[in-house]
Amino acid sequence: MGVRGATEVAAKVVQVHAERHPDWAYGKNDGTNTYCEMPRGPALRDVNSASPALGRCCAVWYARESKYLVYHPDGFSSLIRSSSGWEQGDPLSPAGYSIGSLRALRAARVRIRALVGPVAAPDVLAQAYLDDVILGVPRQRFAEALQILREELAVIRHFPAPHKTEIWS
């Protein structure tokens, strides 16, 4: 697993977990355009519930339609409107995206723990570093667990980038 983007801690978590569970399979599900696609309404409600002060700050910028003016090489421009997602480069985005992802990640974890059974359930690894979601489960249940993870993440419009998805055991 690569460690670009200061994900050294996530890589170490997987390494330690894999040492404890050498027969398990692991995967990293990186999203495609996830920041720009997350539904704002539910995410803003979740941010406000987690931190009312942060929720008010995020609402100033995100509880409205965003407008972008795109200039074309031919001299014309187009107005693009958006009411979803977080802005890339906005200092509020990592917190907003992470908090907005929690509900889907928790729902996936509950379903995956039920899938693997009571013995393995406490050790299921399902965590995220921004839009990189890491999964660790018993090898024989990996495909089903990955499908569950993708179903729950689809609710927040987090779809995997096939060229960035990594699976190893």
Short mmCIF file of all heavy atoms in Angstrom, two decimals, residues 85-129:
data_model
loop_
_atom_site.label_atom_id
_atom_site.label_comp_id
_atom_site.label_asym_id
_atom_site.label_seq_id
_atom_site.Cartn_x
_atom_site.Cartn_y
_atom_site.Cartn_z
N GLY A 85 -21.46 18.26 -2.90
CA GLY A 85 -20.02 18.15 -2.74
C GLY A 85 -19.35 19.21 -1.91
O GLY A 85 -19.94 20.19 -1.49
N TRP A 86 -18.08 18.96 -1.70
CA TRP A 86 -17.17 19.84 -0.97
C TRP A 86 -16.13 20.33 -1.96
O TRP A 86 -15.74 19.62 -2.87
CB TRP A 86 -16.48 19.08 0.16
CG TRP A 86 -17.44 18.52 1.15
CD1 TRP A 86 -18.01 17.28 1.12
CD2 TRP A 86 -17.97 19.18 2.29
NE1 TRP A 86 -18.86 17.13 2.18
CE2 TRP A 86 -18.85 18.28 2.92
CE3 TRP A 86 -17.79 20.44 2.85
CZ2 TRP A 86 -19.55 18.60 4.09
CZ3 TRP A 86 -18.48 20.76 4.01
CH2 TRP A 86 -19.34 19.84 4.62
N GLU A 87 -15.63 21.52 -1.75
CA GLU A 87 -14.64 22.12 -2.65
C GLU A 87 -13.26 21.51 -2.40
O GLU A 87 -12.80 21.46 -1.26
CB GLU A 87 -14.54 23.63 -2.43
CG GLU A 87 -15.83 24.37 -2.65
CD GLU A 87 -16.18 24.48 -4.10
OE1 GLU A 87 -15.28 24.36 -4.95
OE2 GLU A 87 -17.37 24.69 -4.38
N GLN A 88 -12.60 21.08 -3.46
CA GLN A 88 -11.22 20.62 -3.34
C GLN A 88 -10.38 21.83 -2.93
O GLN A 88 -10.52 22.91 -3.49
CB GLN A 88 -10.72 20.07 -4.68
CG GLN A 88 -11.35 18.76 -5.06
CD GLN A 88 -10.78 17.58 -4.30
OE1 GLN A 88 -9.82 17.68 -3.55
NE2 GLN A 88 -11.38 16.43 -4.50
N GLY A 89 -9.54 21.66 -1.94
CA GLY A 89 -8.67 22.73 -1.49
C GLY A 89 -9.25 23.60 -0.39
O GLY A 89 -8.55 24.39 0.22
N ASP A 90 -10.54 23.46 -0.11
CA ASP A 90 -11.16 24.22 0.97
C ASP A 90 -10.73 23.59 2.30
O ASP A 90 -10.85 22.38 2.48
CB ASP A 90 -12.68 24.15 0.83
CG ASP A 90 -13.43 24.90 1.91
OD1 ASP A 90 -12.81 25.33 2.90
OD2 ASP A 90 -14.64 25.07 1.77
N PRO A 91 -10.24 24.38 3.25
CA PRO A 91 -9.80 23.80 4.52
C PRO A 91 -10.93 23.13 5.31
O PRO A 91 -10.66 22.32 6.19
CB PRO A 91 -9.20 24.97 5.29
CG PRO A 91 -9.57 26.20 4.56
CD PRO A 91 -9.98 25.82 3.18
N LEU A 92 -12.18 23.44 5.00
CA LEU A 92 -13.30 22.78 5.67
C LEU A 92 -13.60 21.40 5.08
O LEU A 92 -14.23 20.56 5.72
CB LEU A 92 -14.57 23.64 5.55
CG LEU A 92 -14.53 25.01 6.22
CD1 LEU A 92 -15.77 25.81 5.83
CD2 LEU A 92 -14.42 24.87 7.72
N SER A 93 -13.16 21.16 3.86
CA SER A 93 -13.53 19.95 3.15
C SER A 93 -13.12 18.64 3.82
O SER A 93 -13.93 17.72 3.90
CB SER A 93 -12.98 19.98 1.72
OG SER A 93 -13.62 20.98 0.98
N PRO A 94 -11.89 18.50 4.29
CA PRO A 94 -11.54 17.21 4.91
C PRO A 94 -12.43 16.84 6.09
O PRO A 94 -12.90 15.70 6.19
CB PRO A 94 -10.07 17.39 5.33
CG PRO A 94 -9.55 18.44 4.39
CD PRO A 94 -10.71 19.38 4.17
N ALA A 95 -12.68 17.81 6.97
CA ALA A 95 -13.55 17.52 8.11
C ALA A 95 -14.98 17.26 7.65
O ALA A 95 -15.62 16.31 8.10
CB ALA A 95 -13.52 18.67 9.11
N GLY A 96 -15.48 18.09 6.77
CA GLY A 96 -16.84 17.92 6.28
C GLY A 96 -17.03 16.59 5.57
O GLY A 96 -18.01 15.87 5.81
N TYR A 97 -16.08 16.25 4.72
CA TYR A 97 -16.18 14.99 3.99
C TYR A 97 -16.08 13.80 4.95
O TYR A 97 -16.86 12.85 4.86
CB TYR A 97 -15.10 14.88 2.91
CG TYR A 97 -15.26 13.61 2.13
CD1 TYR A 97 -16.17 13.54 1.08
CD2 TYR A 97 -14.57 12.46 2.48
CE1 TYR A 97 -16.39 12.35 0.40
CE2 TYR A 97 -14.77 11.28 1.80
CZ TYR A 97 -15.68 11.23 0.76
OH TYR A 97 -15.90 10.05 0.11
N SER A 98 -15.14 13.86 5.87
CA SER A 98 -14.95 12.75 6.81
C SER A 98 -16.17 12.53 7.69
O SER A 98 -16.63 11.40 7.86
CB SER A 98 -13.71 12.99 7.68
OG SER A 98 -12.56 13.02 6.88
N ILE A 99 -16.70 13.61 8.25
CA ILE A 99 -17.88 13.49 9.10
C ILE A 99 -19.08 13.05 8.27
O ILE A 99 -19.88 12.23 8.70
CB ILE A 99 -18.15 14.81 9.86
CG1 ILE A 99 -17.01 15.08 10.85
CG2 ILE A 99 -19.49 14.75 10.59
CD1 ILE A 99 -17.01 16.47 11.45
N GLY A 100 -19.20 13.59 7.07
CA GLY A 100 -20.30 13.21 6.19
C GLY A 100 -20.24 11.76 5.74
O GLY A 100 -21.25 11.20 5.31
N SER A 101 -19.08 11.14 5.83
CA SER A 101 -18.89 9.74 5.44
C SER A 101 -19.20 8.76 6.56
O SER A 101 -19.39 7.56 6.31
CB SER A 101 -17.45 9.50 4.99
OG SER A 101 -17.13 10.29 3.90
N LEU A 102 -19.20 9.23 7.79
CA LEU A 102 -19.31 8.33 8.94
C LEU A 102 -20.55 7.45 8.92
O LEU A 102 -20.48 6.26 9.22
CB LEU A 102 -19.26 9.12 10.24
CG LEU A 102 -17.88 9.55 10.70
CD1 LEU A 102 -18.00 10.44 11.93
CD2 LEU A 102 -17.00 8.36 10.97
N ARG A 103 -21.69 8.02 8.59
CA ARG A 103 -22.93 7.25 8.62
C ARG A 103 -22.85 6.04 7.67
O ARG A 103 -23.19 4.92 8.02
CB ARG A 103 -24.10 8.14 8.25
CG ARG A 103 -25.45 7.48 8.41
CD ARG A 103 -26.58 8.41 7.96
NE ARG A 103 -26.48 9.74 8.53
CZ ARG A 103 -27.14 10.14 9.61
NH1 ARG A 103 -27.93 9.30 10.23
NH2 ARG A 103 -27.01 11.36 10.06
N ALA A 104 -22.34 6.26 6.46
CA ALA A 104 -22.21 5.17 5.48
C ALA A 104 -21.18 4.15 5.94
O ALA A 104 -21.39 2.93 5.81
CB ALA A 104 -21.83 5.73 4.11
N LEU A 105 -20.07 4.61 6.47
CA LEU A 105 -19.02 3.70 6.93
C LEU A 105 -19.51 2.85 8.11
O LEU A 105 -19.27 1.65 8.16
CB LEU A 105 -17.77 4.48 7.30
CG LEU A 105 -16.53 3.67 7.61
CD1 LEU A 105 -16.12 2.81 6.43
CD2 LEU A 105 -15.38 4.60 8.00
N ARG A 106 -20.24 3.47 9.02
CA ARG A 106 -20.78 2.72 10.16
C ARG A 106 -21.81 1.69 9.71
O ARG A 106 -21.84 0.57 10.22
CB ARG A 106 -21.38 3.68 11.18
CG ARG A 106 -20.32 4.45 11.93
CD ARG A 106 -20.92 5.48 12.85
NE ARG A 106 -19.88 6.16 13.61
CZ ARG A 106 -19.99 7.38 14.11
NH1 ARG A 106 -21.13 8.06 13.95
NH2 ARG A 106 -19.00 7.92 14.77
N ALA A 107 -22.67 2.06 8.76
CA ALA A 107 -23.66 1.12 8.24
C ALA A 107 -22.97 -0.07 7.57
O ALA A 107 -23.39 -1.22 7.75
CB ALA A 107 -24.59 1.82 7.25
N ALA A 108 -21.92 0.20 6.82
CA ALA A 108 -21.16 -0.89 6.18
C ALA A 108 -20.54 -1.79 7.24
O ALA A 108 -20.60 -3.03 7.13
CB ALA A 108 -20.07 -0.32 5.27
N ARG A 109 -19.97 -1.20 8.26
CA ARG A 109 -19.32 -1.99 9.31
C ARG A 109 -20.31 -2.92 10.00
O ARG A 109 -20.01 -4.09 10.25
CB ARG A 109 -18.65 -1.06 10.32
CG ARG A 109 -17.73 -1.78 11.29
CD ARG A 109 -17.04 -0.85 12.26
NE ARG A 109 -16.13 0.04 11.56
CZ ARG A 109 -16.13 1.37 11.69
NH1 ARG A 109 -17.00 1.97 12.48
NH2 ARG A 109 -15.26 2.10 11.04
N VAL A 110 -21.51 -2.42 10.29
CA VAL A 110 -22.54 -3.25 10.94
C VAL A 110 -22.89 -4.43 10.05
O VAL A 110 -22.95 -5.58 10.51
CB VAL A 110 -23.79 -2.40 11.26
CG1 VAL A 110 -24.99 -3.29 11.61
CG2 VAL A 110 -23.49 -1.44 12.40
N ARG A 111 -23.13 -4.19 8.78
CA ARG A 111 -23.50 -5.27 7.85
C ARG A 111 -22.35 -6.26 7.66
O ARG A 111 -22.57 -7.48 7.59
CB ARG A 111 -23.91 -4.69 6.51
CG ARG A 111 -25.26 -3.98 6.54
CD ARG A 111 -25.62 -3.41 5.19
NE ARG A 111 -25.69 -4.44 4.15
CZ ARG A 111 -25.65 -4.16 2.85
NH1 ARG A 111 -25.53 -2.93 2.41
NH2 ARG A 111 -25.72 -5.15 1.97
N ILE A 112 -21.14 -5.77 7.58
CA ILE A 112 -19.98 -6.65 7.37
C ILE A 112 -19.73 -7.50 8.61
O ILE A 112 -19.43 -8.69 8.50
CB ILE A 112 -18.74 -5.84 6.97
CG1 ILE A 112 -18.95 -5.23 5.57
CG2 ILE A 112 -17.48 -6.68 7.02
CD1 ILE A 112 -17.94 -4.17 5.19
N ARG A 113 -19.89 -6.92 9.78
CA ARG A 113 -19.73 -7.71 11.01
C ARG A 113 -20.76 -8.82 11.08
O ARG A 113 -20.45 -9.93 11.52
CB ARG A 113 -19.80 -6.80 12.24
CG ARG A 113 -18.54 -6.00 12.43
CD ARG A 113 -18.62 -5.08 13.62
NE ARG A 113 -17.33 -4.44 13.85
CZ ARG A 113 -17.16 -3.38 14.60
NH1 ARG A 113 -18.19 -2.83 15.24
NH2 ARG A 113 -15.96 -2.86 14.75
N ALA A 114 -21.98 -8.55 10.66
CA ALA A 114 -23.00 -9.60 10.63
C ALA A 114 -22.62 -10.68 9.62
O ALA A 114 -22.84 -11.87 9.87
CB ALA A 114 -24.36 -9.00 10.29
N LEU A 115 -22.05 -10.29 8.50
CA LEU A 115 -21.64 -11.23 7.46
C LEU A 115 -20.56 -12.19 7.95
O LEU A 115 -20.63 -13.39 7.70
CB LEU A 115 -21.12 -10.46 6.24
CG LEU A 115 -20.44 -11.27 5.14
CD1 LEU A 115 -21.48 -12.08 4.37
CD2 LEU A 115 -19.65 -10.36 4.21
N VAL A 116 -19.55 -11.67 8.66
CA VAL A 116 -18.41 -12.51 9.04
C VAL A 116 -18.67 -13.35 10.28
O VAL A 116 -17.93 -14.27 10.56
CB VAL A 116 -17.12 -11.69 9.22
CG1 VAL A 116 -16.77 -10.95 7.94
CG2 VAL A 116 -17.21 -10.74 10.40
N GLY A 117 -19.72 -13.04 11.02
CA GLY A 117 -20.06 -13.83 12.20
C GLY A 117 -19.44 -13.30 13.47
O GLY A 117 -18.53 -12.47 13.45
N PRO A 118 -19.90 -13.83 14.59
CA PRO A 118 -19.52 -13.28 15.90
C PRO A 118 -18.05 -13.45 16.28
O PRO A 118 -17.52 -12.64 17.04
CB PRO A 118 -20.43 -14.01 16.88
CG PRO A 118 -20.84 -15.27 16.18
CD PRO A 118 -20.85 -14.95 14.72
N VAL A 119 -17.38 -14.46 15.77
CA VAL A 119 -15.98 -14.66 16.15
C VAL A 119 -15.08 -13.60 15.50
O VAL A 119 -14.24 -12.99 16.17
CB VAL A 119 -15.51 -16.09 15.77
CG1 VAL A 119 -14.02 -16.24 16.03
CG2 VAL A 119 -16.30 -17.12 16.55
N ALA A 120 -15.27 -13.34 14.22
CA ALA A 120 -14.43 -12.38 13.50
C ALA A 120 -14.93 -10.95 13.59
O ALA A 120 -14.16 -10.01 13.39
CB ALA A 120 -14.31 -12.79 12.03
N ALA A 121 -16.21 -10.77 13.90
CA ALA A 121 -16.82 -9.44 13.87
C ALA A 121 -16.06 -8.36 14.63
O ALA A 121 -15.87 -7.26 14.10
CB ALA A 121 -18.26 -9.51 14.36
N PRO A 122 -15.59 -8.62 15.85
CA PRO A 122 -14.91 -7.54 16.57
C PRO A 122 -13.62 -7.06 15.90
O PRO A 122 -13.17 -5.93 16.14
CB PRO A 122 -14.59 -8.17 17.94
CG PRO A 122 -15.51 -9.33 18.06
CD PRO A 122 -15.75 -9.82 16.68
N ASP A 123 -13.03 -7.89 15.06
CA ASP A 123 -11.75 -7.54 14.44
C ASP A 123 -11.88 -7.00 13.02
O ASP A 123 -10.86 -6.69 12.38
CB ASP A 123 -10.82 -8.76 14.42
CG ASP A 123 -10.38 -9.14 15.82
OD1 ASP A 123 -10.38 -8.27 16.72
OD2 ASP A 123 -10.02 -10.31 16.02
N VAL A 124 -13.10 -6.89 12.50
CA VAL A 124 -13.29 -6.35 11.15
C VAL A 124 -12.65 -4.97 11.06
O VAL A 124 -12.84 -4.12 11.93
CB VAL A 124 -14.79 -6.28 10.79
CG1 VAL A 124 -15.02 -5.37 9.59
CG2 VAL A 124 -15.32 -7.66 10.51
N LEU A 125 -11.87 -4.78 10.01
CA LEU A 125 -11.23 -3.48 9.78
C LEU A 125 -12.00 -2.78 8.67
O LEU A 125 -12.05 -3.25 7.53
CB LEU A 125 -9.77 -3.68 9.36
CG LEU A 125 -8.96 -2.43 9.08
CD1 LEU A 125 -8.84 -1.57 10.34
CD2 LEU A 125 -7.57 -2.82 8.58
N ALA A 126 -12.65 -1.69 9.02
CA ALA A 126 -13.37 -0.87 8.04
C ALA A 126 -13.21 0.57 8.51
O ALA A 126 -13.91 1.03 9.40
CB ALA A 126 -14.84 -1.26 7.96
N GLN A 127 -12.24 1.25 7.93
CA GLN A 127 -11.94 2.61 8.35
C GLN A 127 -11.58 3.44 7.13
O GLN A 127 -11.30 2.91 6.07
CB GLN A 127 -10.81 2.64 9.37
CG GLN A 127 -9.46 2.24 8.79
CD GLN A 127 -8.35 2.32 9.81
OE1 GLN A 127 -8.55 2.03 10.97
NE2 GLN A 127 -7.19 2.74 9.37
N ALA A 128 -11.60 4.74 7.32
CA ALA A 128 -11.32 5.63 6.20
C ALA A 128 -10.31 6.69 6.58
O ALA A 128 -10.26 7.14 7.72
CB ALA A 128 -12.61 6.29 5.74
N TYR A 129 -9.51 7.04 5.60
CA TYR A 129 -8.68 8.23 5.66
C TYR A 129 -9.15 9.06 4.48
O TYR A 129 -8.83 8.75 3.33
CB TYR A 129 -7.19 7.87 5.54
CG TYR A 129 -6.31 9.10 5.51
CD1 TYR A 129 -5.97 9.75 6.69
CD2 TYR A 129 -5.84 9.60 4.31
CE1 TYR A 129 -5.18 10.88 6.66
CE2 TYR A 129 -5.04 10.73 4.28
CZ TYR A 129 -4.72 11.37 5.45
OH TYR A 129 -3.94 12.50 5.42
#
